[in-house]
Every structure is written in structure tokens, then in C-alpha cells.
Amino acid sequence: MEVERVAVIGAGPCGLGVAKYLLAEQKFKSIAIFEQRDQPGGVWNYTGDEGINSTSTSALARPKPSQEPQQPVGGTFASPVYDSLETNIPKSMMQFADYSFSADTALFPTHAVVKNYLHRYAEELLPYIRLQSLVLDVSLSKKNPKPEWTITWRDLKTNEILVKQFDAVLVANGHHNDPYIPNITGLAEWGRAYPGSIIHSSSYRRAGSFSNKKKKVIVVGHSASGIDIANQIGRVSKHPLLISERTATTLSPEQVTISKSLPEISLLSIGERCVQFADGHEERDVDHIVFCTGYHFSIPFLSGVQPHIVTDGVRPHHLYQHVFYSKEPTLALIGFPQRIVPFPFSQAQGAWVARVLSGRLSLPSQVEMERWIGAWTVTRGEGRSFNTFGFPLDADYINSLYELSSYAARVDGLDNDGHGKRPPFWGEKEKWTRARVPLIKKASQALGTRRGEIKTLEELGFNFERDYVPDAEARL
């Protein structure tokens, strides 16, 4: 693999993470990082109510991924970050391996703290970042002796369309920009009859608009954002708050007192503002529905690449080890699996990718890469589970890439005595912490407004040196 010119699409956490490893290889003649926003940091750049328009809040079903690149509204790419958002991962787990949060940072940092952290981390990369550059198309040509990728983008400052060729493209634009809203009978009619009564979590900013004990609210979905948003709305809206889920989960003790769990919605009827559920239950006089239903995997600028990486939006396809496009591995995706810790995860992938593109590591043949994809499919299935990690799978994956990276050829002058910039590795303490993240978050939330005063795990009562028991960890 002969690579001199590398493009990274996205200057959010994953793009920044991989770019540091590309630089550390001291191999590439040019590195260009394309970012559509006017500053690095991706969705962590809080935009408040800016960038939200009638389209983003309309009650239209969005069952399939968009075929068009995201566009700014009033010059702003709206971030899904809401006012009171804080991380759901402790800072010690979330941070990059080569850059720690400051000691006085809260255990679960606010979005503003994370943004500033990312801006500081990006300082070294600013000369390589093309801000306000909206990628429109990425296409492959094999007319030359080696594969060549053409990137077409719009300079949002001048509105000029620009084109440039690269030897490799790393896609790190995330998957929080194309909301998924299921196609429910009556949804469009409801939206026309009651404008603004249905939103996706990407447009949620604060509980204030639900602050009326007479307002009946349904929150659809109960993953990380759904739980947090439901907790916020449940404190100010009519009780019980209605939580609709495809697969029922256990409500927290706090939620049990103010919430009611229901199956998925089957029908919306504008008469009496009636919502019918899959079990036949009906709720009338519903004021608001908030869809916390996640996002499509959507990469419109790769729509011309065959075979398609994105089809139905459920997960990416044709990715060896969830990274390299098996049909042409000078294309790679960074940070796309779900239920991961993105910062160290992207570094683990980035360390491996950078070593491969610099020629210090080789990939297996296309046949072997596709055999791996097939084996993973047999184990994990074709649907969302294929791309869903969680613990301990994420820990095993990060450490497997650490091992793969360790086989790279040594080169004088590189970091780590010629072996290159170290990738993250999760030892027993990291795995012990990762396994307890839900308990740690719960203990933090129980402190209410005092939780911002907590800076360490130990202050919450979680002490690895005191409590770690190897046999117990094996059973966790």
C-alpha cells in the first residue's frame, strides 16, 4: 500500500484521534482534515437553538438514511447537545490516552468542558484542518497504477466548489446528524394538526417547554439519551411520564415513581390526540412526543462507492475489523460502532490505520478480510447487534488493536523507541471501571446538584485498589 496523501473527514473526537496517529508516523506528504463546522470538536460544539428549523422539528417519518449531505441552517450545523448535557462516561475512561482532563474537572464533565478539552487537543492539528468545508462526494478511480480518491467539497466561506485527490480517505464524521424516526401510521397528519408537538432528541434543548403538570408527554426510546431526557421532562410534566420502548427495560427507582412503561406506538390519531400502542392500550390528550430513537448510519458522500457501505442505515457494511473497506482498504471508517467510549476507541483504530497506511503493517487479502466479516456476522447477526459493542466487547477490541499495532515494523526516529505513538490499552483497572459505569453514573446522579463537586471515583466510593477481585471480575 503506497500512501502519501491522506484525507480525514471530520474534526470531531474521532477525526482528531486518528489524525494524531497519522502525524506521528512522519510518513505522509500531506494530511487534510475536512470539517464542516467553523471550529473543531464536532457535535460537542453546542449550538443551542441555532440551526434548528421547521424541518428538523417536523413530525415527518425518517425511516431511511438521507441521500443528501447535512446542510447548515442560518450558517449553523445544529448540534444535538442539549443545555444540561454531561458525559455518561467518567472522565478517566473517556479521555484520550495522550491527554488527560484537568484534575479539577468534574467526574462527569459538562458539554462545555468537553468542548474546551477538544479544542485544546486540536491545537496541534489546526494547520491541517480545513474548517467550513462541506464534503459533497468521495469517489474512487483506478485508472492510475494505484487507487485514487477524489474529494469534492464546498467552501462554506466562499461557496466555491473544490476538488482534490488523495491516496487514502478516513471517514470520521460520526453518526449523530441523520435522525431516525419510525414510520408510524398517522404521524404526518398529527404533525400537520399539532405543529411542534413532536420532536426528535436531536432538537431537544431543555425541559422548559414541557414544564406544565397538565402536559402529557411520551418519550420514545430508553437508551442513554432517552433516559436522561425522560428524567428531565419527568420532573416538570404531568405524571406519569409515558416511556415507549420496542423492548421493555427496567425503570430506575426514580422513574418508577413518576413514569409508566409502554410498548411501541402503533397509531397516532388526531381526534382526541390519541396514541395507540402495540398492545392495544390507548392514551388520549397527548401533548408532546419526543423521539429518542437514535440516528441512521448515513454517509451521503459515499453513495457512489460500490458496493454500498450504507444501505438501510442500520449499520455499515464491508468493513474489516469495523474499519477498513474490504473492497478497497485505502478507505476506512473510524469510530462507527455503537455503545463504545469514542475517544480511546478512535485512537485504537487510528493507531492501527496509521501504521497500515504508512506501510509498517500489512492487511490480509480481500478474501481473508471478507471471511472475517462473514464470521463476525455469524456470531453477531446481520442487524444492529453486528455493530453494537458494550462491555466487555469494547475492551477486548481496543486491546486486540493494541496487539495488532504492536506488530508494526520499527522505524528509527518514531516515538516509543521507533515503535510509534502508543495506542490505548485497557488494563484491569480500566476494565473494572468500564464494567461499573452504570453504577458510577447512578451514584453520581443520586447526589443531584452536588455531583459537579465530585472529581474522582474514590469520592463516590469506587476504589479499584481496595475492591478489585480477579475471580469476581471474570464473573461480572
Side-chain angles (χ1 to χ4, degrees), residues 182-429:
N183 192 6
I184 299 171
T185 302
L187 181 68
E189 292 80 2
W190 184 294
R192 287 193 293 269
Y194 311 115
S197 64
I198 294 181
I199 66 168
H200 186 269
S201 60
S202 59
S203 300
Y204 173 82
R205 292 296 176 265
R206 61 196 67 89
S209 59
F210 308 93
S211 184
N212 185 328
K213 291 297 183 178
K214 295 182 179 180
K215 286 188 176 181
K216 184 183 287 188
V217 181
I218 301 174
V219 174
V220 183
H222 201 232
S223 59
S225 63
I227 293 171
D228 196 21
I229 290 172
N231 286 339
Q232 293 181 34
I233 294 176
R235 297 187 190 107
V236 300
S237 67
K238 182 177 181 179
H239 293 169
L241 174 73
L242 305 173
I243 299 176
S244 169
E245 308 174 75
R246 183 187 297 117
T247 304
T249 58
T250 303
L251 299 182
S252 69
E254 177 191 4
Q255 288 179 317
V256 167
T257 62
I258 63 171
S259 304
K260 179 180 179 180
S261 183
L262 293 166
E264 59 187 331
I265 297 172
S266 59
L267 176 68
L268 299 177
S269 177
I270 59 176
E272 299 183 88
R273 299 176 77 118
C274 179
V275 177
Q276 183 173 309
F277 298 84
D279 62 356
H281 177 79
E282 292 184 350
E283 290 285 344
R284 301 179 187 280
D285 301 317
V286 172
D287 294 286
H288 293 284
I289 304 175
V290 182
F291 282 94
C292 300
T293 41
Y295 299 81
H296 293 291
F297 287 97
S298 177
I299 316 176
F301 53 77
L302 290 182
S303 60
V305 175
Q306 298 280 354
H308 293 311
I309 295 174
V310 173
T311 55
D312 57 4
V314 172
R315 67 172 180 87
H317 294 264
H318 308 295
L319 296 184
Y320 172 61
Q321 293 280 0
H322 306 279
V323 178
F324 286 101
Y325 182 51
S326 62
K327 306 300 182 180
E328 177 45 63
T330 51
L331 174 66
L333 273 63
I334 305 295
F336 275 77
Q338 300 259 48
R339 297 184 185 271
I340 59 170
V341 185
F343 294 20
F345 196 93
S346 68
Q347 287 192 303
Q349 292 183 325
W352 179 43
V353 168
R355 285 160 165 78
V356 169
L357 296 184
S358 70
R360 295 201 296 128
L361 276 175
S362 297
L363 291 173
S365 67
Q366 180 177 323
V367 170
E368 290 172 312
M369 287 192 285
E370 291 177 352
R371 185 179 295 127
W372 180 90
I373 295 169
W376 185 269
T377 304
V378 170
T379 302
R380 302 289 297 176
E382 285 278 6
R384 294 186 186 280
S385 60
F386 181 99
N387 203 53
T388 302
F389 278 50
F391 182 81
L393 193 56
D394 57 349
D396 294 339
Y397 180 81
I398 283 174
N399 289 351
S400 72
L401 294 189
Y402 178 93
E403 182 178 4
L404 282 173
S405 296
S406 71
Y407 297 135
R410 183 184 177 280
V411 174
D412 286 338
L414 295 185
D415 295 346
N416 189 22
D417 191 31
H419 295 286
K421 183 177 174 67
R422 290 181 185 273
F425 179 85
W426 280 4
E428 294 307 315
K429 183 174 183 179

Side-chain angles (χ1 to χ4, degrees), residues 39 51 57 95 99 118 166 176-177 180 184 234-235 268 297 317 349 354 357 397 427:
Q39 52 191 330
T57 59
Q95 63 197 10
Y99 187 60
L118 290 171
F166 296 89
H176 292 92
N177 52 26
Y180 165 69
I184 299 171
R235 297 187 190 107
L268 299 177
F297 287 97
H317 294 264
Q349 292 183 325
L357 296 184
Y397 180 81

Side-chain angles (χ1 to χ4, degrees), residues 91-92 95 99-109 113 117 120 451-459:
K91 64 181 181 182
S92 58
Q95 63 197 10
Y99 187 60
S100 299
F101 281 99
S102 62
D104 62 351
T105 299
L107 185 61
F108 291 94
V113 171
Y117 169 86
R120 291 192 299 271
R451 66 184 179 275
E453 302 170 11
I454 302 300
K455 308 296 191 294
T456 67
L457 292 170
E458 289 74 19
E459 290 177 68

